[in-house]
Coordinates of all heavy atoms in Angstrom, one line a residue:
M15 N 39.6 16.0 -35.7 CA 38.5 16.2 -34.8 C 38.0 14.9 -34.3 O 37.9 13.9 -35.1 CB 37.3 16.9 -35.6 CG 36.1 17.2 -34.8 SD 35.0 18.2 -35.7 CE 33.5 17.9 -34.9
L16 N 37.8 14.8 -33.0 CA 37.3 13.5 -32.4 C 35.8 13.3 -32.4 O 35.1 14.3 -32.2 CB 37.8 13.4 -31.0 CG 39.3 13.2 -30.8 CD1 39.6 13.3 -29.3 CD2 39.8 11.9 -31.3
D17 N 35.4 12.2 -32.7 CA 34.0 11.8 -32.7 C 33.6 11.7 -31.2 O 34.4 11.1 -30.4 CB 33.8 10.5 -33.4 CG 32.3 10.0 -33.4 OD1 31.5 10.5 -32.6 OD2 32.0 9.2 -34.3
A18 N 32.4 12.1 -30.8 CA 32.0 12.0 -29.4 C 32.0 10.6 -28.9 O 32.2 10.4 -27.7 CB 30.6 12.6 -29.2
M19 N 31.9 9.6 -29.7 CA 31.8 8.2 -29.3 C 33.2 7.7 -28.9 O 33.4 6.7 -28.3 CB 31.3 7.3 -30.4 CG 29.8 7.6 -30.7 SD 28.7 7.3 -29.3 CE 28.8 5.5 -29.2
N20 N 34.3 8.4 -29.3 CA 35.7 8.0 -29.0 C 36.3 8.7 -27.9 O 37.5 8.6 -27.6 CB 36.5 8.2 -30.3 CG 36.1 7.3 -31.4 OD1 35.7 6.2 -31.1 ND2 36.2 7.8 -32.6
V21 N 35.5 9.5 -27.1 CA 36.1 10.3 -26.0 C 35.6 9.7 -24.7 O 34.4 9.6 -24.5 CB 35.7 11.8 -26.1 CG1 36.2 12.6 -25.0 CG2 36.1 12.4 -27.4
A22 N 36.5 9.4 -23.8 CA 36.1 8.8 -22.5 C 35.6 9.9 -21.6 O 36.1 11.0 -21.7 CB 37.3 8.1 -21.9
H23 N 34.7 9.6 -20.8 CA 34.1 10.5 -19.9 C 33.9 9.8 -18.5 O 33.4 8.7 -18.5 CB 32.8 11.1 -20.3 CG 32.1 12.0 -19.4 ND1 32.5 13.3 -19.2 CD2 31.2 11.8 -18.4 CE1 31.8 13.9 -18.3 NE2 31.0 13.0 -17.8
A24 N 34.4 10.4 -17.5 CA 34.2 9.8 -16.1 C 32.9 10.4 -15.5 O 32.7 11.6 -15.6 CB 35.4 10.1 -15.2
F25 N 32.1 9.5 -15.0 CA 30.9 10.0 -14.4 C 31.0 9.8 -12.9 O 31.6 8.9 -12.4 CB 29.7 9.1 -14.9 CG 29.4 9.3 -16.3 CD1 29.9 8.6 -17.3 CD2 28.4 10.3 -16.7 CE1 29.6 8.8 -18.7 CE2 28.1 10.5 -18.0 CZ 28.7 9.7 -19.0
T26 N 30.3 10.7 -12.1 CA 30.2 10.5 -10.7 C 29.2 9.4 -10.4 O 28.3 9.1 -11.2 CB 29.8 11.8 -10.0 OG1 28.5 12.1 -10.4 CG2 30.8 12.9 -10.3
Y27 N 29.2 8.9 -9.1 CA 28.2 7.9 -8.7 C 26.8 8.5 -8.8 O 25.9 7.9 -9.3 CB 28.5 7.4 -7.3 CG 27.6 6.3 -6.9 CD1 27.8 5.0 -7.4 CD2 26.5 6.6 -6.1 CE1 26.9 4.0 -7.0 CE2 25.6 5.6 -5.7 CZ 25.8 4.3 -6.2 OH 25.0 3.3 -5.8
Q28 N 26.7 9.8 -8.4 CA 25.4 10.4 -8.5 C 24.9 10.5 -9.9 O 23.7 10.3 -10.2 CB 25.4 11.8 -7.9 CG 24.1 12.6 -7.9 CD 23.0 11.8 -7.2 OE1 23.2 11.4 -6.1 NE2 21.8 11.7 -7.8
E29 N 25.8 10.8 -10.9 CA 25.4 10.9 -12.3 C 24.9 9.5 -12.8 O 23.9 9.4 -13.5 CB 26.5 11.4 -13.1 CG 26.8 12.9 -13.0 CD 28.1 13.3 -13.7 OE1 29.1 12.6 -13.7 OE2 28.0 14.4 -14.3
I30 N 25.7 8.5 -12.4 CA 25.3 7.1 -12.8 C 24.0 6.7 -12.2 O 23.1 6.1 -12.9 CB 26.4 6.1 -12.3 CG1 27.7 6.4 -13.0 CG2 25.9 4.7 -12.6 CD1 27.8 6.1 -14.4
T31 N 23.7 7.1 -10.9 CA 22.5 6.8 -10.3 C 21.3 7.4 -11.0 O 20.3 6.8 -11.3 CB 22.5 7.2 -8.8 OG1 23.5 6.6 -8.1 CG2 21.2 6.9 -8.1
T32 N 21.5 8.7 -11.4 CA 20.5 9.4 -12.2 C 20.2 8.8 -13.6 O 19.1 8.6 -13.9 CB 20.9 10.9 -12.3 OG1 21.0 11.5 -11.0 CG2 19.9 11.7 -13.1
L33 N 21.3 8.6 -14.3 CA 21.1 8.1 -15.7 C 20.6 6.7 -15.8 O 20.0 6.3 -16.8 CB 22.3 8.3 -16.5 CG 23.6 7.5 -16.3 CD1 23.6 6.2 -17.1 CD2 24.8 8.3 -16.7
T34 N 20.7 5.9 -14.7 CA 20.2 4.5 -14.6 C 18.8 4.5 -13.9 O 18.3 3.4 -13.7 CB 21.1 3.6 -13.9 OG1 21.3 4.0 -12.6 CG2 22.4 3.4 -14.7
D35 N 18.3 5.6 -13.5 CA 17.1 5.7 -12.8 C 17.2 4.8 -11.5 O 16.4 4.0 -11.3 CB 15.9 5.3 -13.6 CG 14.5 5.7 -13.0 OD1 14.5 6.6 -12.1 OD2 13.5 5.1 -13.3
N36 N 18.3 5.1 -10.8 CA 18.6 4.4 -9.5 C 18.8 2.9 -9.8 O 18.3 2.0 -9.0 CB 17.5 4.6 -8.4 CG 18.1 4.4 -7.1 OD1 19.3 4.5 -6.8 ND2 17.2 4.0 -6.2
F37 N 19.4 2.5 -10.9 CA 19.7 1.1 -11.2 C 18.5 0.3 -11.3 O 18.4 -0.8 -10.9 CB 20.7 0.5 -10.2 CG 22.0 1.3 -10.1 CD1 22.2 2.2 -9.1 CD2 23.0 1.1 -11.0 CE1 23.4 2.9 -9.0 CE2 24.2 1.8 -10.9 CZ 24.4 2.7 -9.9
S38 N 17.4 0.8 -12.0 CA 16.1 0.2 -12.0 C 15.9 -0.9 -13.1 O 15.1 -1.7 -13.0 CB 15.0 1.2 -12.1 OG 15.1 2.0 -13.3
A39 N 16.7 -0.8 -14.2 CA 16.5 -1.7 -15.4 C 17.7 -2.5 -15.6 O 18.7 -2.1 -16.1 CB 16.2 -0.9 -16.6
V40 N 17.6 -3.8 -15.2 CA 18.7 -4.7 -15.3 C 18.7 -5.3 -16.8 O 17.7 -5.8 -17.2 CB 18.6 -5.9 -14.3 CG1 19.7 -6.9 -14.5 CG2 18.7 -5.4 -12.9
L41 N 19.8 -5.2 -17.5 CA 19.9 -5.7 -18.8 C 20.5 -7.2 -18.8 O 20.2 -8.0 -19.6 CB 20.9 -4.9 -19.7 CG 20.4 -3.5 -20.0 CD1 21.5 -2.7 -20.8 CD2 19.1 -3.5 -20.8
G42 N 21.3 -7.5 -17.7 CA 21.8 -8.8 -17.6 C 22.9 -8.9 -16.5 O 23.0 -7.9 -15.7
R43 N 23.5 -10.0 -16.5 CA 24.6 -10.2 -15.5 C 25.7 -10.9 -16.1 O 25.6 -11.9 -16.8 CB 24.0 -11.0 -14.3 CG 25.0 -11.2 -13.2 CD 24.5 -11.9 -12.0 NE 25.6 -11.9 -11.1 CZ 25.4 -12.0 -9.8 NH1 24.2 -11.9 -9.3 NH2 26.4 -12.0 -9.0
G44 N 26.9 -10.4 -15.8 CA 28.1 -11.0 -16.4 C 29.1 -11.4 -15.2 O 28.7 -11.4 -14.1
G45 N 30.3 -11.7 -15.6 CA 31.3 -12.2 -14.6 C 31.6 -11.1 -13.6 O 32.2 -11.4 -12.5
F46 N 31.4 -9.9 -13.9 CA 31.7 -8.8 -13.0 C 30.6 -8.4 -12.1 O 30.7 -7.7 -11.1 CB 32.2 -7.6 -13.8 CG 33.5 -7.8 -14.5 CD1 33.6 -8.0 -15.9 CD2 34.7 -7.9 -13.8 CE1 34.8 -8.2 -16.5 CE2 35.9 -8.1 -14.4 CZ 35.9 -8.2 -15.8
G47 N 29.4 -8.7 -12.6 CA 28.2 -8.2 -11.8 C 27.1 -7.8 -12.8 O 27.1 -8.2 -13.9
F48 N 26.2 -7.0 -12.3 CA 25.0 -6.6 -13.1 C 25.3 -5.6 -14.1 O 26.2 -4.8 -13.9 CB 23.9 -6.1 -12.2 CG 23.2 -7.2 -11.4 CD1 23.5 -7.5 -10.1 CD2 22.3 -8.1 -12.0 CE1 22.9 -8.5 -9.4 CE2 21.6 -9.1 -11.3 CZ 22.0 -9.3 -10.0
V49 N 24.5 -5.5 -15.2 CA 24.6 -4.5 -16.2 C 23.2 -3.9 -16.3 O 22.2 -4.5 -16.4 CB 25.0 -5.1 -17.6 CG1 25.0 -4.0 -18.7 CG2 26.3 -5.9 -17.5
Y50 N 23.2 -2.5 -16.2 CA 22.0 -1.8 -16.1 C 21.8 -0.9 -17.4 O 22.8 -0.4 -18.0 CB 22.0 -0.9 -14.9 CG 22.1 -1.6 -13.6 CD1 23.3 -1.9 -13.0 CD2 21.0 -2.1 -13.0 CE1 23.4 -2.6 -11.9 CE2 21.0 -2.8 -11.8 CZ 22.3 -3.0 -11.2 OH 22.3 -3.8 -10.1
K51 N 20.6 -0.6 -17.7 CA 20.3 0.3 -18.8 C 20.3 1.7 -18.3 O 19.8 2.0 -17.2 CB 18.9 0.0 -19.4 CG 18.5 1.0 -20.5 CD 17.1 0.8 -20.9 CE 16.8 1.9 -22.0 NZ 15.4 2.1 -22.2
G52 N 20.9 2.6 -19.0 CA 21.0 4.0 -18.7 C 20.7 4.9 -19.9 O 20.8 4.4 -21.0
T53 N 20.3 6.1 -19.7 CA 20.1 7.0 -20.7 C 20.8 8.3 -20.4 O 20.6 8.9 -19.4 CB 18.6 7.3 -20.9 OG1 17.9 6.1 -21.1 CG2 18.3 8.2 -22.1
L54 N 21.7 8.7 -21.3 CA 22.5 10.0 -21.1 C 21.5 11.2 -21.4 O 20.5 11.0 -22.0 CB 23.6 10.0 -22.1 CG 24.7 8.9 -22.0 CD1 25.8 9.1 -23.1 CD2 25.3 8.9 -20.6
A55 N 22.0 12.3 -20.9 CA 21.2 13.6 -21.1 C 20.9 13.8 -22.6 O 19.9 14.5 -22.9 CB 21.9 14.7 -20.5
T56 N 21.8 13.3 -23.5 CA 21.6 13.5 -24.9 C 20.5 12.6 -25.5 O 20.2 12.7 -26.7 CB 22.9 13.2 -25.7 OG1 23.3 11.9 -25.5 CG2 24.0 14.1 -25.2
G57 N 20.0 11.6 -24.7 CA 19.0 10.7 -25.1 C 19.6 9.3 -25.6 O 18.9 8.4 -25.9
L58 N 21.0 9.3 -25.6 CA 21.6 8.0 -26.0 C 21.5 7.0 -24.9 O 21.8 7.2 -23.7 CB 23.1 8.3 -26.3 CG 24.0 7.2 -26.7 CD1 23.6 6.7 -28.1 CD2 25.5 7.6 -26.7
N59 N 21.0 5.8 -25.3 CA 21.0 4.7 -24.4 C 22.3 4.0 -24.2 O 23.0 3.8 -25.2 CB 19.9 3.6 -24.8 CG 18.5 4.1 -24.7 OD1 18.2 4.8 -23.8 ND2 17.7 3.7 -25.7
V60 N 22.7 3.7 -23.0 CA 24.0 3.1 -22.7 C 23.8 1.9 -21.7 O 22.8 1.8 -21.0 CB 24.9 4.1 -22.0 CG1 25.3 5.2 -23.0 CG2 24.4 4.7 -20.7
A61 N 24.8 1.0 -21.7 CA 24.8 -0.1 -20.7 C 25.8 0.3 -19.7 O 26.9 0.8 -20.0 CB 25.2 -1.4 -21.4
V62 N 25.4 0.2 -18.4 CA 26.3 0.5 -17.3 C 26.6 -0.7 -16.5 O 25.8 -1.4 -15.9 CB 25.5 1.5 -16.3 CG1 26.4 1.9 -15.1 CG2 25.2 2.8 -17.1
K63 N 27.9 -1.1 -16.6 CA 28.4 -2.3 -15.9 C 28.9 -1.9 -14.5 O 29.6 -0.9 -14.4 CB 29.6 -2.8 -16.8 CG 30.0 -4.2 -16.5 CD 31.1 -4.6 -17.4 CE 30.4 -5.2 -18.6 NZ 31.3 -6.1 -19.4
V64 N 28.5 -2.7 -13.5 CA 28.9 -2.4 -12.1 C 29.7 -3.6 -11.6 O 29.3 -4.7 -11.7 CB 27.6 -2.2 -11.3 CG1 28.0 -1.9 -9.8 CG2 26.8 -1.0 -11.8
L65 N 30.9 -3.3 -11.1 CA 31.7 -4.3 -10.5 C 31.2 -4.7 -9.1 O 31.0 -3.9 -8.2 CB 33.1 -3.8 -10.3 CG 34.2 -4.7 -9.7 CD1 34.3 -6.0 -10.5 CD2 35.5 -4.0 -9.5
S66 N 30.8 -6.0 -9.0 CA 30.3 -6.6 -7.8 C 31.4 -6.9 -6.8 O 32.5 -7.3 -7.2 CB 29.5 -7.8 -8.1 OG 29.2 -8.6 -6.9
D67 N 31.1 -6.7 -5.5 CA 32.1 -7.1 -4.5 C 32.4 -8.6 -4.5 O 33.4 -9.1 -4.1 CB 31.6 -6.7 -3.1 CG 31.6 -5.2 -2.9 OD1 32.4 -4.5 -3.6 OD2 30.9 -4.7 -2.1
A68 N 31.4 -9.4 -5.0 CA 31.5 -10.8 -5.0 C 32.2 -11.3 -6.3 O 32.4 -12.5 -6.5 CB 30.1 -11.4 -4.9
S69 N 32.6 -10.4 -7.2 CA 33.2 -10.8 -8.5 C 34.5 -11.6 -8.2 O 35.3 -11.2 -7.3 CB 33.4 -9.6 -9.3 OG 34.2 -10.0 -10.5
Q70 N 34.7 -12.6 -8.9 CA 36.0 -13.4 -8.8 C 37.1 -12.7 -9.7 O 38.2 -13.1 -9.6 CB 35.8 -14.8 -9.3 CG 34.8 -15.6 -8.4 CD 35.3 -15.7 -7.0 OE1 36.4 -16.1 -6.7 NE2 34.4 -15.4 -6.0
Q71 N 36.7 -11.8 -10.5 CA 37.7 -11.0 -11.3 C 38.0 -9.7 -10.6 O 37.2 -9.2 -9.9 CB 37.1 -10.8 -12.7 CG 36.7 -12.1 -13.4 CD 36.1 -11.9 -14.7 OE1 36.8 -11.3 -15.5 NE2 35.0 -12.5 -15.0
G72 N 39.2 -9.2 -10.9 CA 39.7 -8.0 -10.2 C 39.3 -6.7 -10.9 O 38.8 -6.7 -12.0
E73 N 39.6 -5.6 -10.2 CA 39.3 -4.3 -10.7 C 40.1 -4.0 -12.0 O 39.5 -3.4 -12.9 CB 39.6 -3.3 -9.6 CG 39.3 -1.9 -10.0 CD 39.6 -0.9 -8.9 OE1 39.8 -1.2 -7.8 OE2 39.6 0.3 -9.3
R74 N 41.3 -4.5 -12.1 CA 42.1 -4.3 -13.3 C 41.4 -4.9 -14.5 O 41.4 -4.3 -15.6 CB 43.5 -4.8 -13.0 CG 44.4 -4.6 -14.2 CD 45.8 -5.1 -13.8 NE 46.6 -5.2 -15.0 CZ 47.8 -5.8 -15.0 NH1 48.3 -6.3 -13.9 NH2 48.5 -5.8 -16.1
E75 N 41.0 -6.1 -14.4 CA 40.3 -6.8 -15.5 C 39.0 -6.1 -15.9 O 38.7 -6.0 -17.0 CB 40.0 -8.3 -15.1 CG 41.2 -9.1 -15.0 CD 42.0 -9.0 -13.7 OE1 41.5 -8.3 -12.8 OE2 43.1 -9.6 -13.6
F76 N 38.3 -5.6 -14.8 CA 37.1 -4.9 -15.1 C 37.4 -3.6 -15.9 O 36.7 -3.3 -16.9 CB 36.4 -4.5 -13.7 CG 35.2 -3.6 -13.9 CD1 34.0 -4.2 -14.2 CD2 35.2 -2.3 -13.6 CE1 32.8 -3.4 -14.3 CE2 34.1 -1.5 -13.7 CZ 32.9 -2.1 -14.0
L77 N 38.4 -2.8 -15.5 CA 38.7 -1.6 -16.2 C 39.2 -1.9 -17.6 O 38.9 -1.1 -18.5 CB 39.8 -0.8 -15.4 CG 39.3 -0.2 -14.1 CD1 40.4 0.4 -13.3 CD2 38.2 0.8 -14.3
N78 N 39.9 -3.0 -17.8 CA 40.3 -3.4 -19.2 C 39.1 -3.7 -20.1 O 39.1 -3.4 -21.2 CB 41.2 -4.6 -19.1 CG 42.6 -4.3 -18.7 OD1 43.1 -3.1 -18.8 ND2 43.3 -5.2 -18.1
E79 N 38.1 -4.3 -19.5 CA 36.9 -4.6 -20.3 C 36.1 -3.4 -20.6 O 35.5 -3.3 -21.7 CB 36.0 -5.6 -19.6 CG 34.9 -6.1 -20.4 CD 34.2 -7.3 -19.8 OE1 34.9 -8.3 -19.5 OE2 33.0 -7.3 -19.7
V80 N 36.0 -2.5 -19.7 CA 35.2 -1.3 -19.8 C 35.9 -0.4 -20.8 O 35.4 0.2 -21.7 CB 34.9 -0.5 -18.5 CG1 34.3 0.8 -18.7 CG2 34.1 -1.4 -17.6

């Protein structure tokens, strides 16, 4: 049996917008761009990393980190 924390889930942009309250709470900024606070429907707080167009790192590196 898999633990819920070990199962990947793809979210739509609308779902991400909702769970981050329209990207309202910035937790920080890294090499890829801003990181936002989000809350899943279960109440679990999550960090949402967004790849910036200005990032010097590529999409492949971003996906490897996520």
Side-chain angles (χ1 to χ4, degrees):
M15 183 171 159
L16 290 175
D17 181 342
M19 297 297 290
N20 293 325
V21 178
H23 176 81
F25 292 91
T26 66
Y27 185 78
Q28 180 59 47
E29 289 172 320
I30 298 285
T31 301
T32 300
L33 68 91
T34 61
D35 194 21
N36 202 30
F37 302 97
S38 63
V40 177
L41 295 176
R43 182 177 181 149
F46 294 107
F48 288 101
V49 178
Y50 299 90
K51 178 185 178 198
T53 306
L54 299 178
T56 62
L58 180 67
N59 288 325
V60 295
V62 177
K63 194 176 273 201
V64 178
L65 178 60
S66 168
D67 290 336
S69 173
Q70 298 297 312
Q71 301 182 53
E73 183 177 344
R74 182 175 167 189
E75 290 81 7
F76 177 79
L77 293 173
N78 283 335
E79 186 168 307
V80 174

